[in-house]
Amino acid sequence: MTHISVKAVRAGLVTALVLLACAAPARAGGGHVAEDSWLMLTVSRGETPSTRQDGTLLRCDPPRGHRRAADACAELTAVDGRIADLPAKDVVCPMVFAPVTAHASGRWRGRPVDYTETFPNTCLLTARTGAVFALDTQ
């Protein structure tokens, strides 16, 4: 008859618990619920935000719903979802006045987001907001 010591059983149980804990999937976003980071994005011609209900829904945990979702989510992550804090790109844009208004509403890491800004043209919109407003509708 084989005898197993209590210490051996405890060591085996501890090892099994550690392996199970390590195998559990990590939560995306450093402990944030995956659906906490989403934005409804619109770009409209003119100086007033679109009143239409359509737009592009950007989700970031994992990135999807936007043609440049991975880039947009990475840029937003770098500024903790604060679109106004996105660093401007160093580009030369034509001095053409064809205003466009960008609007974003939703949640970032559980915090509400409501952003609206009018740009003189799409070149300046892209220079200022990067991939976030790089929508198919432009």
Side-chain angles (χ1 to χ4, degrees), residues 7-70:
K7 287 184 182 181
V9 171
R10 283 187 190 153
L13 288 174
V14 168
T15 301
L17 288 173
V18 168
L19 289 174
L20 283 173
C22 291
R27 292 179 62 179
H32 297 285
V33 176
E35 296 303 318
D36 275 352
S37 295
W38 62 271
L39 297 173
M40 178 58 76
L41 306 168
T42 59
V43 175
S44 55
R45 302 272 176 220
E47 298 183 34
T48 57
S50 174
T51 57
R52 299 183 331 220
Q53 296 300 315
D54 60 341
T56 298
L57 181 62
L58 170 66
R59 294 185 181 269
C60 285
D61 296 311
R64 64 193 186 280
H66 183 294
R67 69 182 177 123
R68 294 185 56 199

Side-chain angles (χ1 to χ4, degrees), residues 48-100:
T48 57
S50 174
T51 57
R52 299 183 331 220
Q53 296 300 315
D54 60 341
T56 298
L57 181 62
L58 170 66
R59 294 185 181 269
C60 285
D61 296 311
R64 64 193 186 280
H66 183 294
R67 69 182 177 123
R68 294 185 56 199
D71 294 335
C73 291
E75 291 172 3
L76 287 165
T77 297
V79 295
D80 194 29
R82 291 177 175 83
I83 298 169
D85 293 344
L86 288 168
K89 310 295 185 275
D90 189 20
V91 298
V92 176
C93 290
M95 293 181 63
V96 174
F97 187 69
V100 290

Side-chain angles (χ1 to χ4, degrees), residues 120-135:
N121 55 49
T122 55
C123 179
L124 288 170
L125 165 70
T126 303
R128 186 65 188 85
T129 63
V132 175
F133 288 99
L135 309 177

